[in-house]
């Protein structure tokens, strides 16, 4: 069940890369063997720039690929500009803003989203579906937060989509690798990829043992990672039996090519009192653990190399992620910025959301 | 990355006590990251400090009871001698992996209290029999490898210190090629009241240094006027990442020198390698021995002379 990256096309079936759509042609192989995530710039996409509660009358500064985004509210409505209101305009406005230097902006799911790309192409239909978040926002403050990663955004997302890393890096929070069975499925289209990891008889996550009162030694887990490729946004949805549902919105905004901002939202509204408050804050610990690996890892992907990464069957989603990202990049290089698939379509069924818990 | 010549060197990248079975040790040879640890038999092992799975440093992982090193990212485990992948924890059903599934292994050789690594895994280790010296230390200096050696040649006081001893600018013997090593002898004085060096007719001490022309590993001997060896030291500078030089050293006292000066030398730590270099002093240090050393080094490392002098394995001579 192992393959070297350059043999992927021969072994796709073995590796578990489900060929539901997509070509996996020569460009895809190139993506795996010559994966330089720092060179990828995704245009014509909505990026979640800030929690809606973090934007007020006073401008706050964000960035996408080093392009400045100043966010503030005018009469309660969020605006995004490439210039600070007090800034003496000494540079020309970019092609991604209008005549006033304003970016298209919209507010949804408790976030202020900025459009990075041709302003005239901005359309709410390209906003990712996040069915576990209230569309008009309003999650309590303890369920949201900000963490940063010293790495490229795709590195951070590739880290997320291979959850076997959690068994080692986050064992003290999410539990070790011991389980009776484990399977990985991958589904994708041209704009998104979804990985479903199913484990039976897995060691109970310590955070659930202590804060949810789980007494059993093992639990069954269904974890879903869904990545909206252009927006660099991920859903991480875990269903633990026995235990709670943990839906996390995990956006990785590429502020620069090697630094990532993550304004997360974990909707633990339906969990027990203690777990509801503690689990979202575990992100601070988990993110530092991730960063301990992705930070030294990232520079090693900054330049192309002939040395190929090794892969196991658990890397099939990560390999597919690389392919899909490179496919979009190639299309955009060729001037094609069109969406071929609908990212705003309700993904509740795909991620296995318990809709009775999240009725919005 | 060290050049082709440096690939064949057995670099003293760690002191023996730094390499344990408890925690991996990260070192560099130039821009090549290396992870060191001891396996279950206590043998020092060296792999590239880069998991071939997702390029995370293996030194951030741990050492298993069976002596394998485990990457801390996804838990892949490697055996030290060959670098072969031995286990992926989430794949209990398959634990036999193709030969290509391996981390890059390097040659390791331990002797005289130093763990030496050769980037060429097939290189033959030298046969040496030196006892470890008592006093030890490690320093990282923000100076390139050759610049560090040039400072050692031109003004040793910039980079090392011997308790109670000051180095003079006067040489008893300038750098020369002796059996494939760069050898020189510098006059020294005891610290304290005496005529300044330019007005002294004789010097009571000398420091003899024997330096490998490529690795820069140096054996240092402090002698008095009676030719008694008062102190021995081995200084092993290794080029590290970002132009830093990592220096491991070991030292031991020799013949007991009588009197207060001898007592001072036998203080807490008679020898040390400076962790910082005085840039202002370094900048105005006149290149002298180092210029000559460069000419000698170029001649010694020239292909036609290499086989004659055998300079690429002079670790043997240094430690002999």
């Amino acid at each position: 069940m192992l393959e070297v990256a350059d043999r992927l096309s021969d072994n796709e079936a073995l590796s578990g890369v489900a060929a539901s759509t997509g070509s996996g042609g020569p460009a895809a192989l190139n993506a795996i063997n010559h994966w330089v995530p720092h060179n990828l710039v995704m245009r014509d996409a909505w990026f979640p720039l800030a929690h809606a509660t973090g934007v007020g009358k006073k401008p706050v500064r964000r960035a996408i690929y080093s392009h400045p985004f100043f966010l503030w509210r005018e009469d309660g409505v969020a605006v995004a500009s490439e210039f600070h209101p007090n800034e003496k305009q000494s540079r020309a406005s970019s092609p991604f803003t209008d005549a006033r230097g304003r970016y298209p902006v919209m507010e949804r799911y408790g976030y202020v989203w900025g459009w990075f790309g041709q302003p005239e192409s901005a359309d709410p239909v390209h906003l990712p579906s996040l069915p576990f978040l209230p569309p008009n926002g309003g999650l309590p403050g303890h369920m949201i937060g900000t963490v940063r990663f010293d790495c490229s955004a795709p590195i951070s997302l590739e880290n997320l989509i291979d959850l076997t890393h959690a068994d080692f890096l986050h064992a003290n929070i999410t539990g070790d690798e011991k389980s009776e069975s484990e399977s990985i499925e991958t589904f994708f289209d041209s704009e998104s990829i979804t990985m479903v990891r199913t484990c039976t008889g897995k060691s109970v996550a310590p955070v659930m043992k202590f804060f949810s009162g789980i007494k059993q030694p093992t639990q069954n887990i269904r974890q879903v990672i869904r990545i909206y490729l252009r927006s660099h946004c991920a859903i991480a949805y875990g269903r633990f039996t026995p235990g709670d549902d943990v839906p996390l919105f995990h956006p990785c905004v590429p502020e620069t090519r090697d630094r990532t901002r993550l304004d997360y939202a974990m909707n633990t509204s339906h969990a027990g009192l203690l777990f509801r408050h503690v689990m979202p804050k575990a992100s601070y610990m988990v993110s530092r653990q991730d960063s301990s690996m992705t930070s030294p890892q990232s520079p090693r992907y900054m330049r192309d190399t002939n040395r190929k990464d090794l892969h196991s069957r658990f890397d099939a989603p990560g390999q597919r992620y690389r392919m899909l990202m490179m496919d979009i990049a190639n299309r955009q290089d060729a001037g094609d910025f069109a969406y071929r698939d609908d990212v705003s379509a309700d993904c509740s069924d795909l991620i296995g959301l318990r809709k009775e818990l999240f009725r919005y | 990355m060290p050049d082709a010549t440096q690939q064949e060197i057995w670099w003293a990248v760690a002191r023996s006590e730094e390499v344990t079975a408890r925690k991996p040790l990260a070192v560099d040879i130039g821009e090549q990251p290396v992870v060191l640890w001891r396996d279950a038999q206590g043998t020092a092992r060296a792999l590239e400090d880069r998991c071939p799975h997702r390029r995370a440093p293996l030194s951030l992982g741990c050492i298993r009871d069976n002596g394998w090193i485990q990457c801390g990212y996804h838990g892949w485990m490697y055996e030290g001698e060959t670098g072969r992948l031995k286990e992926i924890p989430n794949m209990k059903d398959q634990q036999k992996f193709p030969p290509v599934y391996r981390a890059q292994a390097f040659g390791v050789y331990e002797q005289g209290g130093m763990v030496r690594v050769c980037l060429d895994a097939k290189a033959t280790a030298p046969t040496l029999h030196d006892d470890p010296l008592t006093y030890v230390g490690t320093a990282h200096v923000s100076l390139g490898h050759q610049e560090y050696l040039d400072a050692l040649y031109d003004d040793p006081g910039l980079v090392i210190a011997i308790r109670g001893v000051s180095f003079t600018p006067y040489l008893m013997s300038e750098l020369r090629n002796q059996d494939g090593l760069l050898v020189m002898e510098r006059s020294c004085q005891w610290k304290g009241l005496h005529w300044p060096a330019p007005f002294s007719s004789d010097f009571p001490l000398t420091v003899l240094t024997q330096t490998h022309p490529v690795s820069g590993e140096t054996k240092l001997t402090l002698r008095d006027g009676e030719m008694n060896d008062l102190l021995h030291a081995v200084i092993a500078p290794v080029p590290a990442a970002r132009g830093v030089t990592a220096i491991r050293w070991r030292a031991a006292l020799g013949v007991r020198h009588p009197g207060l000066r001898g007592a001072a030398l036998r203080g807490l730590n008679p020898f040390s390698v400076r962790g910082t270099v005085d840039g202002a002093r370094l900048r105005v240090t006149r290149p002298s021995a180092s210029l000559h050393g460069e000419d000698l080094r170029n001649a010694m490392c020239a292909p036609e002379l290499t086989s004659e002098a055998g300079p690429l394995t002079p670790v043997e001579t240094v430690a002999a």
Side-chain angles (χ1 to χ4, degrees):
Chain A
M1 301 302 171
L2 288 159
E3 83 260 356
V4 191
D6 60 346
R7 294 183 207 147
L8 183 72
S9 58
D10 298 333
N11 293 339
E12 278 194 38
L14 287 176
S15 68
V17 179
S20 59
T21 63
S23 62
L29 292 178
N30 190 50
I32 289 180
N33 286 331
H34 300 283
W35 174 240
V36 186
H38 303 73
N39 290 349
L40 298 176
V41 174
M42 293 288 146
R43 272 186 44 187
D44 284 23
W46 292 105
F47 287 90
L49 294 169
H51 291 115
T53 51
V55 179
K57 288 181 180 173
K58 188 178 169 189
V60 294
R61 185 170 179 174
R62 298 288 187 269
I64 298 175
Y65 301 120
S66 300
H67 291 258
F69 278 70
F70 291 96
L71 308 173
W72 70 93
R73 291 186 188 276
E74 290 177 348
D75 300 324
V77 177
V79 297
S81 169
E82 63 176 312
F83 301 105
H84 189 282
N86 298 338
E87 186 178 353
K88 191 183 286 184
Q89 196 168 327
S90 57
R91 54 193 161 88
S93 59
S94 86
F96 301 137
T97 56
D98 63 14
R100 289 197 301 162
R102 298 280 174 93
Y103 295 98
V105 67
M106 64 180 291
E107 209 166 329
R108 194 156 172 86
Y109 299 126
Y111 284 84
V112 174
W113 300 73
W115 177 263
F116 182 74
Q118 287 301 115
E120 54 271 26
S121 302
D123 189 329
V125 79
H126 301 317
L127 194 75
S129 163
L130 305 171
F132 57 90
L133 291 181
N136 297 321
L139 279 188
H142 67 266
M143 294 184 193
I144 62 175
T146 300
V147 296
R148 295 172 184 270
F149 290 103
D150 306 336
C151 70
S152 161
I155 291 271
S156 191
L157 288 164
E158 195 185 6
N159 161 67
L160 182 68
I161 206 168
D162 179 4
L163 283 175
T164 59
H165 85 273
D167 301 338
F168 295 91
L169 268 187
H170 315 312
N172 61 346
I173 297 166
T174 59
D176 59 31
E177 82 283 7
K178 296 182 182 74
S179 69
E180 290 166 10
S181 70
E182 179 174 1
S183 67
I184 300 287
E185 295 172 280
T186 311
F187 309 93
F188 61 92
D189 59 26
S190 66
E191 297 291 343
S192 69
I193 180 168
T194 304
M195 184 279 292
V196 181
R197 182 194 195 198
T198 309
C199 299
T200 58
K202 193 174 190 301
S203 305
V204 169
V207 69
M208 292 198 168
K209 198 180 290 182
F210 298 125
F211 298 109
S212 283
I214 306 295
K215 304 292 184 199
Q216 291 86 336
T218 62
Q219 59 188 169
N220 298 332
I221 300 176
R222 184 177 187 276
Q223 290 168 307
V224 179
I225 303 295
R226 175 170 171 77
I227 299 175
Y228 295 103
L229 302 167
R230 288 199 208 201
S231 297
H232 292 70
C233 292
I235 294 170
Y237 178 46
R239 289 177 58 174
F240 300 82
T241 311
D244 296 295
D245 282 28
V246 184
L248 168 69
F249 178 47
H250 186 289
C252 292
V253 175
E255 291 208 306
T256 66
R257 65 172 57 203
D258 201 37
R259 293 291 184 275
T260 299
R261 179 189 180 97
L262 198 165
D263 290 312
Y264 70 85
M266 185 181 286
N267 191 349
T268 48
S269 305
H270 303 281
L273 181 69
L274 206 51
F275 186 81
R276 184 191 315 166
H277 285 80
V278 170
M279 188 61 200
K281 297 308 173 199
S283 299
Y284 296 121
M285 186 184 291
V286 168
S287 66
R288 289 305 86 196
Q289 292 169 335
D290 281 325
S291 195
S292 73
M293 289 296 164
T294 57
S295 179
Q297 185 192 15
S298 192
R300 293 177 170 181
Y301 283 95
M302 208 176 258
R303 288 189 177 146
D304 196 5
T305 168
N306 289 328
R307 302 179 67 181
K308 294 161 187 161
D309 289 346
L310 301 179
H311 306 275
S312 79
R313 68 169 183 260
F314 298 103
D315 297 313
Q319 289 173 291
R320 180 58 68 186
Y321 171 69
R322 292 184 182 187
M323 291 183 206
L324 294 170
M325 287 291 281
M326 193 62 97
D327 279 346
I328 295 178
N330 288 345
R331 277 200 283 129
Q332 295 202 346
D333 284 347
D336 176 8
F337 299 98
Y339 278 74
R340 294 184 179 177
D341 289 287
D342 182 5
V343 294
S344 61
D346 184 7
C347 66
S348 299
D349 292 334
L350 189 56
I351 66 172
L353 188 71
R354 289 209 289 179
K355 295 179 185 173
E356 66 273 21
L357 296 181
F358 304 95
R359 293 183 192 280
Y360 300 115
Chain B
M1 178 67 72
D3 63 27
T5 314
Q6 293 174 321
Q7 295 278 334
E8 302 168 34
I9 295 295
W10 287 89
W11 296 98
V13 292
R15 291 179 283 108
S16 291
E17 51 272 53
E18 292 179 291
V19 181
T20 71
R22 296 185 303 279
K23 194 171 182 297
L25 176 69
V27 297
D28 322 299
I29 300 175
E31 296 298 327
Q32 174 65 66
V34 176
V35 59
L36 298 169
W37 79 99
R38 288 190 192 281
D39 66 14
Q41 286 71 47
T43 306
R45 299 298 185 193
L47 296 180
E48 182 180 20
D49 194 8
R50 174 190 188 275
C51 179
H53 176 220
R54 286 296 176 270
R55 310 184 195 180
L58 288 170
S59 56
L60 297 177
C62 62
I63 303 157
R64 308 299 302 193
D65 290 343
N66 58 11
W68 297 341
I69 191 166
Q70 181 171 33
C71 179
Y73 198 177
H74 298 91
W76 288 29
M77 284 182 240
Y78 301 90
E79 174 267 322
E81 186 174 4
T82 64
R84 288 283 296 266
L85 175 67
K86 303 300 284 187
E87 191 174 318
I88 299 176
N90 295 71
M91 292 180 64
K92 299 289 185 194
D93 56 329
Q94 182 189 343
Q95 296 300 348
K96 284 195 173 179
F97 306 103
V100 70
Y101 275 69
R102 68 169 70 214
Q104 187 174 350
F106 301 125
V108 191
Y109 172 68
E110 190 170 7
Q111 177 277 329
M114 293 287 192
V115 175
R116 298 171 194 277
V117 169
C118 183
L119 296 180
D120 179 359
K122 293 175 182 160
T124 307
T127 50
L128 306 173
H129 303 288
D130 265 11
D131 291 330
L133 306 178
T134 320
Y135 300 99
V136 300
T138 297
H140 290 85
V141 179
S142 303
L143 204 59
H145 184 252
Q146 193 54 54
E147 287 76 15
Y148 185 87
L149 290 168
D150 289 347
L152 181 67
Y153 295 146
D154 290 328
D155 182 359
L158 281 165
V159 291
I160 61 172
I162 301 176
R163 182 182 286 272
V165 174
S166 56
F167 303 100
T168 78
Y170 302 102
L171 304 182
M172 292 302 294
S173 156
E174 67 177 1
L175 270 175
R176 64 187 186 279
N177 175 0
Q178 183 176 307
D179 301 327
L181 295 177
L182 290 166
V183 178
M184 70 186 289
E185 191 165 14
R186 178 179 295 273
S187 299
C188 301
Q189 292 175 301
W190 293 108
K191 283 183 176 167
L193 286 175
H194 49 65
W195 284 99
F199 311 123
S200 296
S201 64
D202 297 289
F203 296 111
L205 301 166
T206 61
V207 159
L208 175 74
T209 55
Q210 300 166 281
T211 303
H212 184 278
V214 180
S215 75
E217 184 167 330
T218 299
K219 183 178 181 184
L220 177 150
T221 307
L222 178 71
R223 289 174 174 165
D224 64 13
E226 307 298 319
M227 298 302 279
N228 293 312
D229 292 353
L230 305 183
L231 177 115
H232 299 283
V234 175
I235 308 164
V238 177
R242 308 202 73 142
V244 166
T245 299
I247 305 109
R248 262 80 180 180
W249 60 268
R250 304 192 79 97
L253 288 167
V255 172
R256 185 185 179 91
H257 190 81
L260 287 174
R261 286 163 170 163
L265 183 63
R266 291 191 299 276
L268 192 63
N269 200 348
F271 179 85
S272 60
V273 168
R274 298 188 191 281
T276 56
V277 173
D278 181 344
R281 184 174 150 195
L282 174 64
R283 180 180 153 267
V284 296
T285 298
R286 189 168 54 88
S288 171
S290 62
L291 288 180
H292 188 203
E294 184 180 358
D295 296 338
L296 283 171
R297 199 169 50 249
N298 290 339
M300 291 163 75
C301 295
E304 63 272 22
L305 294 180
T306 300
S307 56
E308 180 189 329
L312 297 181
T313 53
V315 171
E316 300 171 12
T317 321
V318 170

